[in-house]
Amino acid sequence: MGSSNDNGSRPRRVMVIGFDGATLELIEPWAAAGILPAFKRLMERGAWGPLQSTMPPVTPAAWSSLATGTQQGKHGLFDFYARRPGSYETNVVNAANRHGATLWGLLGEAGYRTTVFNVPASYPPDRVNGVMISGLLTPTQATDAAWPPEVLQELKQAVPGFSFYPPGIFSEGQEAAFVQQVLDWDKMTLQATEFLMTRQPWDFLFTVFIGVDIMSHFMWRHMVTRGASAPTDDPATRETLANAIQAVYRQADAILSTLLEMAGDDTYVAVVSDHGFGPLDYYMHVNAWLVERGYLKFKRTPAVMLKYLAYRLGVTPLFILNLMRRLRLGGKVQETVSTRNDWAKAMVKKAFLSLADIDWSRTTIYATGYGAGLFVNLKGREPQGIVEPGAQCEALLQRLTADLRELRHPETKEPLVGEVYRRSDLYSGPYAELAPDLMFVPRDWRNQPYGVHDFASSRWLEPTPDRTGTHRMNGILFLTGPGILPGARVEGASLWDLAPTILALMKTPIPKNMDGQVLSAALAEELRSQLTVTYRDVAEESQQAGAAPVLGEDEEQVIRDRLEALGYFG
C-alpha cells in the first residue's frame, strides 16, 4: 500500500486521537504530578504544545478545520448553527455544510485504508476507503450514520447500548449520576474504537472522545471550589463533583494508554483537542444588549408588547428557571424542557419573547449562534433587510464597534470587550460570506458572548445558571512516533497544521489550498531530510460527501436539545 509519490517504501500508519475540550492548563500539572502517566510519557517521548483553535473556538468549526487543513472561510463552518437561506432562522450544521477535501478523503484517494469514528459534525458520513461512523450532531435515531451502512448495526451488536449521546442530562440533584454517565459514555466510545480498529486493517485512524468537554462545561466550578459550590451537603457527592474533571482526565489517560499500546511504536500518533477550556462566570446575552442599545426592535402588536412588558420587568425564561431552582424544582424544570416535551416548548415560545417577535423593519443588527456573531440586517441579503450596503452599513458597523468598546462590567467596571473583528479580518475564501459581519472577543473568557437563546434574560450580563466552564482558544497537541523530536515543545501550531503534517508523513501530496503548514519543528532532522513534501491542485468540493439528508423539525429540535443538555448551549 502506498501513494503515487511513494518510492516503494510503505509509510507508517497514523492514528489521531481527539479529546474534545482538553487543555494543557490541566494536563501539564497533572502529568507532572504523576496523575496522567500516559500524557507524561508523550511529553517525554514526543513533541507537544498548545494548538490554536478557530475563531470562535466552536466544536464543529474546529474539527472541520483540522479535517480539511483550512480556515473557516474555505470550509464554510463557523458555529453550531448556519442561517437558512432567505430566512432569519437557523439549522444545526452537519457535514453537508462543510466544503473542501478532507484528510480521510485524500488518504483514501491515495490508496490508504481509513477508519474514522465519532468526529463531530461528520454526519452524513463520507464514502471513505474503509469505515466511517459519524459523531456529535448525528440525529439520535439515524440509520445512515455509517459507511458502509451495515457497519452501524455491527457496532451496535458489538457494543450494546451504543449511542451518539450519553443517556442522561445534567439536572439539579442528579449531578453525581450525570458524572458517571459521561464516564461510561467515554468507555463505550473506547469499546467502539477497539471494535473498529480490529474489524479491518487500517492505515489511518481518527477517533474522538467527548467526555472531557462535557464534564468541563458543568464541573469546572466544583473543581475550583473543591465541591463547596455543590447544591448538597452530602460529603460523598461533593467529593464526586470536586473530582469529576480529574476523573474524566484520568480516564482519558487510561484510554490513551490502551490505544497507544494497540497502535504500536511504529505508528505515528497525534493526540489533539479542538479547543481548550477555562472557567465561565457570565453569559453576555448579546441580543438583550442590542435591544437596550436600540439596534434590535420588537413588533408593536398587543401580544408582543405584553411579552415585552414582562421582559422589561425581568420575567424571562431564565428568571423562571432560577426561581424554580430556589424552590428546589430546577432539576424537574430542566428535565422537562430538555427531554423535548412539546407543550413546554410551545409554552415558553408563546409566553416569552422570541425571534418571531422581532420587528425586522426597524432592526439593524442581530446576533445568532454559540459565538454570538453579529449580522447586519442588510438590504438585498436578509429577507427583510433595511440597511443599505456601502456607506450606511459601514457607519452602522463603526457605531456598533464603538459601543462594544465602551462596554463595562456592571460590578467591576472593567472593560468587557477585547478585540473586535470584521469578517474580512478573520476569514477569506469562497465561504467567508457566510460568516458574521462582526465578531468580538471578550477581554476575559469568563464572560462569554452568547446568541443562542433569543431573549432568555432581559439583563445582557447574567451569571451562568449551571455551566461553569467554557471554551478557550488553545487546545492540545502531542505527536509521537519514529523521527518525532522527544520532549520538544512546539509553539504556534494551529488546527489546520495537522492535515498537511499527516499527509507529509504518509507521503501524500498536500492540496495547495490548505492554510496549514507541515509542523517541521516537531520533526527530527533525519525525518525532515527523508520527507519529500509535494503539493497538488484539488477540487474545491470533496468528492466523498454524501447527499445532505433533510431533517424534520422534530429531528432538528432533538439535536438542539441534546446539545443543550451536554452543555453546548446555556
Side-chain angles (χ1 to χ4, degrees):
M1 176 117 17
S3 66
S4 59
N5 73 330
D6 191 357
N7 62 8
S9 62
R10 180 185 180 187
R12 302 177 191 276
R13 299 190 302 178
V14 173
M15 173 188 287
V16 179
I17 306 169
F19 292 108
D20 197 294
T23 174
L24 290 176
E25 298 295 323
L26 298 179
I27 290 175
E28 282 194 74
W30 286 344
I35 295 170
L36 305 177
F39 278 104
K40 185 176 182 180
R41 287 197 301 274
L42 284 184
M43 296 168 78
E44 293 170 347
R45 298 179 184 179
W48 62 282
L51 189 64
Q52 180 186 334
S53 187
T54 53
M55 177 62 74
V58 179
T59 298
W63 287 115
S64 295
S65 279
L66 189 151
T68 62
T70 62
Q71 49 90 6
Q72 294 133 284
K74 291 181 181 176
H75 66 64
L77 281 176
F78 299 89
D79 206 297
F80 280 96
Y81 292 139
R83 293 184 300 165
R84 297 178 193 169
S87 172
Y88 294 101
E89 300 286 343
T90 59
N91 288 113
V92 176
V93 298
N94 58 38
N97 299 100
R98 185 196 67 226
H99 300 274
T102 59
L103 181 55
W104 48 82
L106 292 164
L107 290 172
E109 289 174 5
Y112 295 113
R113 297 278 291 179
T114 64
T115 295
V116 183
F117 175 58
N118 208 39
V119 178
S122 62
Y123 173 84
D126 297 342
R127 298 185 175 191
V128 297
N129 181 29
V131 172
M132 183 170 184
I133 299 179
S134 56
L136 190 72
L137 305 185
T138 300
T140 54
Q141 300 302 317
T143 58
D144 58 346
W147 181 261
E150 64 270 16
V151 175
L152 182 59
Q153 190 58 38
E154 292 178 19
L155 176 62
K156 289 182 177 181
Q157 291 174 355
V159 185
F162 171 79
S163 172
F164 293 106
Y165 303 90
I169 65 169
F170 181 87
S171 60
E172 192 170 315
Q174 301 297 319
E175 295 91 347
F178 181 76
V179 168
Q180 190 58 52
Q181 288 166 349
V182 173
L183 293 171
D184 290 343
W185 189 45
D186 265 2
K187 288 180 184 176
M188 183 205 67
T189 303
L190 175 61
Q191 293 172 359
T193 301
E194 291 173 315
F195 166 75
L196 294 173
M197 287 178 70
T198 56
R199 181 185 179 274
Q200 66 170 41
W202 54 270
D203 301 297
F204 172 77
L205 184 136
F206 191 171
T207 185
V208 178
F209 297 82
I210 310 292
V212 166
D213 183 275
I214 298 170
M215 206 78 83
S216 299
H217 273 298
F218 290 104
M219 297 293 155
W220 200 276
R221 190 170 297 155
H222 295 314
M223 176 182 67
V224 172
T225 64
R226 298 303 306 155
S229 57
T232 178
D233 294 326
D234 178 57
T237 300
R238 286 194 168 196
E239 185 72 11
T240 296
L241 303 189
N243 294 323
I245 291 180
Q246 188 174 107
V248 77
Y249 272 89
R250 284 179 182 269
Q251 182 166 278
D253 192 79
I255 288 169
L256 177 58
S257 180
T258 297
L259 294 178
L260 287 172
E261 183 175 351
M262 293 182 71
D265 293 338
D266 287 341
T267 299
Y268 289 111
V269 178
V271 181
V272 297
S273 68
D274 52 336
H275 52 72
F277 238 94
L280 172 65
D281 294 331
Y282 291 89
Y283 277 138
M284 300 172 65
H285 294 275
V286 178
N287 279 321
W289 178 76
L290 292 172
V291 170
E292 182 178 297
R293 299 295 301 179
Y295 292 101
L296 194 154
K297 303 284 189 179
F298 295 110
K299 296 173 182 175
R300 293 167 171 167
T301 64
V304 174
M305 294 307 293
L306 185 61
K307 287 193 277 188
Y308 181 60
L309 176 62
Y311 173 85
R312 290 293 302 271
L313 293 173
V315 183
T316 62
L318 193 54
F319 169 80
I320 298 298
L321 179 60
N322 288 334
L323 178 62
M324 293 299 98
R325 283 195 170 123
R326 287 194 289 272
L327 296 174
R328 313 298 288 182
L329 297 173
K332 293 296 183 184
V333 172
Q334 186 164 3
E335 186 175 353
T336 297
V337 175
S338 294
T339 50
R340 186 67 180 106
N341 281 344
D342 290 335
W343 68 267
K345 299 281 184 181
M347 181 185 70
V348 169
K349 190 167 185 178
K350 188 172 183 178
F352 300 106
L353 290 169
S354 70
L355 190 71
D357 299 317
I358 295 175
D359 183 351
W360 296 107
S361 69
R362 297 187 299 133
T363 292
T364 56
I365 300 284
Y366 64 101
T368 189
Y370 185 87
L374 290 152
F375 291 89
V376 175
N377 192 22
L378 195 66
K379 186 178 290 187
R381 185 184 68 182
E382 268 67 15
Q384 301 175 56
I386 63 171
V387 179
E388 293 285 350
Q392 186 182 13
C393 179
E394 177 62 28
L396 176 65
L397 289 173
Q398 288 183 11
R399 178 163 68 91
L400 178 63
T401 299
D403 285 346
L404 286 168
R405 294 193 188 282
E406 290 298 317
L407 269 176
R408 296 290 186 273
H409 196 292
E411 296 178 4
T412 66
K413 308 305 178 186
E414 291 294 319
L416 279 169
V417 175
E419 296 297 324
V420 181
Y421 298 104
R422 299 285 184 94
R423 177 196 295 131
S424 58
D425 296 332
L426 295 173
Y427 313 116
S428 62
Y431 305 101
E433 292 299 313
L434 299 175
D437 295 299
L438 189 143
M439 294 197 69
F440 67 93
V441 177
R443 182 171 291 229
D444 186 335
W445 283 90
R446 291 173 181 265
N447 310 305
Q448 182 186 336
Y450 202 62
V452 175
H453 295 292
D454 303 332
F455 304 100
S457 174
S458 57
R459 297 194 300 175
W460 58 265
L461 191 69
E462 183 86 49
T464 56
D466 48 27
R467 281 77 167 168
T468 61
T470 195
H471 302 175
R472 295 295 192 271
M473 280 300 299
N474 284 327
I476 66 169
L477 168 66
F478 295 86
L479 283 174
T480 187
I484 303 298
L485 282 172
R489 173 94 180 194
V490 177
E491 300 290 349
S494 66
L495 283 165
W496 38 93
D497 292 331
L498 262 294
T501 300
I502 291 169
L503 291 172
L505 290 173
M506 299 194 76
K507 301 183 180 180
T508 301
I510 299 168
K512 292 179 181 178
N513 71 335
M514 282 192 174
D515 296 301
Q517 304 294 321
V518 176
L519 292 170
S520 299
L523 313 181
E525 178 59 36
E526 182 180 358
L527 178 58
R528 288 202 302 270
S529 66
Q530 293 172 353
L531 291 181
T532 302
V533 179
T534 59
Y535 296 87
R536 57 172 280 203
D537 293 315
V538 67
E540 198 63 48
E541 295 299 321
S542 170
Q543 301 302 310
Q544 302 285 330
V550 178
L551 299 184
E553 184 177 338
D554 286 346
E555 291 176 296
E556 171 91 11
Q557 188 60 52
V558 167
I559 296 176
R560 292 175 185 249
D561 292 341
R562 296 308 300 169
L563 291 173
E564 183 171 339
L566 296 179
Y568 289 103
F569 307 144

